Amino acid sequence: MTTGYAAVDAKAPLGLFNFERRALLPNDVSIEILYCGVCHSDIHQVRNEWGGSVYPIVPGHEIVGRVTAVGSAVKKYKPGQLAGVGCMVDSCRHCSECEDGLEQFCAHTVFTYNSPDKHTGKVTYGGYSEQIVVDQDFVLRISEKMAAPEKLAAVAPLLCAGITTYSPLRHWNIGKGDVVGIVGLGGLGHMGLKWAHAFGAKTVLFTTSPDKAADAMRMGADEVVISKDAEAMKKNAKRFDFIINTVAVAHDLNPYLTALKRDGVLCMVGVPDSPHPPVDTANLIFQRRSLAGSLIGGIKETQEMLDFAAEHNIVCDIEMIAIQEIENSYQRMLKSDVKYRFVIDMSTLKA
Ligand code: NAP
Ligand code: ZN
Ligand code: ZN
C-alpha cells in the first residue's frame, strides 16, 4: 500500500489517500520519493480547470528520490541511486515524435498523474506520495553532486519548471547577443531567468510584482519591467528577440508582441483555464513576428538539462513545506506569493 495526498473532487482540500502502485514489471524502477515540487499545473488539474480530471487525483510531477528496487530487465538503475521523474512516465515509443525524442508530443503520452496507465488500465497517481513505479526509460539520472538534502529538494522543480523553460530557449537557439524576456516570476519564470542568463543572453523580467525585482536581479535578470506600467511597456517596443510567457491566467498578449523585434518570437508556456483576449495580427504581420508555444521537453533533453544544471550548479529557489501545508501553498501561488517554488518534504507524509 502507498500513502499519498489526493483531492476527491474539484473543490475538496487534499488529504490522505492510500492506493496500490503496480507490481514491478521487468523494466520498472521503484523509487522512494524524497521531495516533490508543487507546479501551478497541479492546481489547474486538482481544480479541474482544464477539464478531464479523474478523482481521486494525486498530483505531483517534480519528483526526486532514491531507487529502492528494479525489475528483472532494468540495466540503467540500481537500488540506492538518486532518480528523478518529471511530467511523463510512458509514451507509444514508435511514432515520429517518440523517435525524435519528443515524447511529450506523442498521441499516447502517459502523464505522471491523471492519465491512463497502459499496464493497469487505471489512472496514474503522481508524486505527492511516498513511492512511485516508473519504466526505466522515463526515469532521469540525478548527479550524486546534488545529494545533500537542501540541494536535492531544489533539484526537484527542474523536472517540470526547469525543462519547460530550458527547452524553448534551446529550440530557438538563444544565447549571447539575444535579448530575452521572461514574463512572470514564479516556478517556471525564475528558472527561465537562470537559463537565459546562463546561456549568455541579456535577460529581462516582466513582472506584476515590483517587490520581486531584487530577487530577479540576483537570479540573473539584467533589468526588470513592471508589466502593469503601460508607459514602461511602450518604452520596450521592438526590443526583444525572444519572450517566454509563463503566466497562468488569461491576459492581453499584445504588449508582449509589440515588445518583439522584427522576426521575434513570443513563446507561450502558461496554460490558463480560459482563452487570452484576441491577438491583433497586425502586431505579427508588420514585423514578421511569431506567436509560438512549447510543452515541457523530451526525456533526452530533460537529462541534458539536469546534467547542465549539475555542471553549472544551477538549482531552483525553493520554499520547503510539509504536505499538510499544501492548501496554503496553493493559495499563496494564486496570489503570486511564491518564492519561487514550493517543494514538499515527503517525510512529512508520515507525520
Ligand atoms: P506560478 O509559480 O504560479 O507563477 C506564475 C506567475 O505568473 C506568478 O508568480 C506571477 O508572477 C505571474 N502572474 C500571476 N498572475 C498574473 C496576472 N494576472 N498577470 C500577469 N502575471 C501574473 O506558476 P508556474 O508553476 O510557473 O506555472 C505557470 C503556468 O505554466 C501555469 O499555467 C502552468 O500550468 C503552466 N505550465 C506549462 C507547462 C508547459 O509545458 N507548457 C509546464 C508547466 C507549467 P509575477 O508576480 O512576477 O507577475
Ligand atoms: Zn508542471
Ligand atoms: Zn509516440
Side-chain angles (χ1 to χ4, degrees):
M1 192 66 86
T2 298
T3 302
Y5 245 51
V8 293
D9 64 52
K11 295 208 169 72
L14 279 81
L16 278 175
F17 172 61
N18 291 320
F19 58 97
E20 296 288 349
R21 292 289 184 192
R22 70 176 182 237
L24 275 196
L25 296 165
N27 281 301
D28 278 347
V29 176
S30 180
I31 299 165
E32 179 198 4
I33 301 174
L34 297 172
Y35 302 103
C36 183
V38 180
C39 180
H40 207 114
S41 303
D42 298 347
I43 306 179
H44 290 308
Q45 290 182 84
V46 161
R47 298 190 165 181
N48 200 18
E49 290 174 357
W50 296 338
S53 293
V54 177
Y55 297 93
I57 187 169
V58 178
H61 56 207
E62 294 183 334
I63 298 166
V64 292
R66 284 211 184 260
V67 176
T68 51
V70 297
S72 56
V74 171
K75 298 244 162 27
K76 298 183 187 168
Y77 293 94
K78 291 196 185 77
Q81 278 182 326
L82 288 174
V85 180
C87 300
M88 301 180 282
V89 290
D90 214 335
S91 68
C92 90
R93 318 282 186 110
H94 51 69
C95 70
S96 58
E97 275 66 44
C98 289
E99 275 173 8
D100 287 346
L102 296 168
E103 302 86 356
Q104 72 273 33
F105 302 122
C106 172
H108 303 285
T109 311
V110 181
F111 292 97
T112 304
Y113 65 87
N114 194 38
S115 198
D117 181 327
K118 64 184 181 191
H119 298 291
T120 63
K122 295 184 189 156
V123 74
T124 53
Y125 292 132
Y128 295 10
S129 62
E130 57 189 351
Q131 57 128 342
I132 192 164
V133 173
V134 179
D135 186 290
Q136 61 176 340
D137 293 340
F138 284 77
V139 176
L140 285 309
R141 289 185 310 280
I142 291 171
S143 165
E144 285 293 334
K145 277 204 276 189
M146 305 304 215
E150 62 288 359
K151 193 152 239 185
L152 190 60
V155 166
L158 293 176
L159 274 306
C160 175
I163 185 61
T164 301
T165 44
Y166 182 95
S167 183
L169 291 166
R170 286 300 199 212
H171 179 73
W172 274 277
N173 281 318
I174 297 306
K176 214 170 161 27
D178 290 320
V179 182
V180 171
I182 303 291
V183 188
L185 195 64
L188 270 54
H190 92 287
M191 289 315 301
L193 285 187
K194 291 188 187 200
W195 302 132
H197 176 72
F199 300 166
K202 187 172 180 73
T203 305
V204 178
L205 173 71
F206 291 99
T207 182
T208 60
S209 307
D211 60 327
K212 292 182 182 174
D215 285 341
M217 302 295 278
R218 177 175 53 74
M219 291 174 198
D222 297 292
E223 284 171 43
V224 175
V225 176
I226 307 304
S227 54
K228 291 181 287 196
D229 179 346
E231 280 309 307
M233 291 300 284
K234 271 194 204 140
K235 276 191 203 136
N236 279 277
K238 280 203 73 178
R239 193 175 162 215
F240 289 82
D241 296 283
F242 192 70
I243 298 178
I244 300 183
N245 187 323
T246 77
V247 175
V249 295
H251 62 288
D252 186 8
L253 304 184
N254 290 293
Y256 300 108
L257 290 174
T258 53
L260 294 170
K261 280 181 192 162
R262 187 201 75 218
D263 292 327
V265 176
L266 172 61
C267 179
M268 304 304 297
V269 292
V271 187
D273 63 352
S274 58
H276 296 290
V279 161
D280 181 350
T281 51
N283 290 330
L284 301 173
I285 292 164
F286 284 89
Q287 294 294 324
R288 202 166 55 189
R289 296 166 173 131
S290 301
L291 176 59
S294 190
L295 178 66
I296 46 177
I299 293 297
K300 186 164 172 273
E301 193 176 46
T302 305
Q303 189 63 61
E304 175 196 305
M305 176 272 311
L306 287 167
D307 296 345
F308 181 93
E311 189 186 331
H312 296 267
N313 199 22
I314 294 174
V315 292
C316 307
D317 284 40
I318 65 159
E319 201 176 317
M320 192 94 85
I321 58 163
I323 192 131
Q324 294 79 7
E325 298 170 279
I326 190 69
E327 287 298 327
N328 182 49
S329 74
Y330 284 1
Q331 290 308 322
R332 283 187 49 196
M333 283 171 78
L334 291 167
K335 289 187 284 189
S336 301
D337 178 17
V338 52
K339 292 196 167 142
Y340 283 85
R341 193 58 132 188
F342 293 105
V343 172
I344 306 164
D345 175 352
M346 214 49 73
S347 69
T348 59
L349 249 185
K350 299 186 182 83

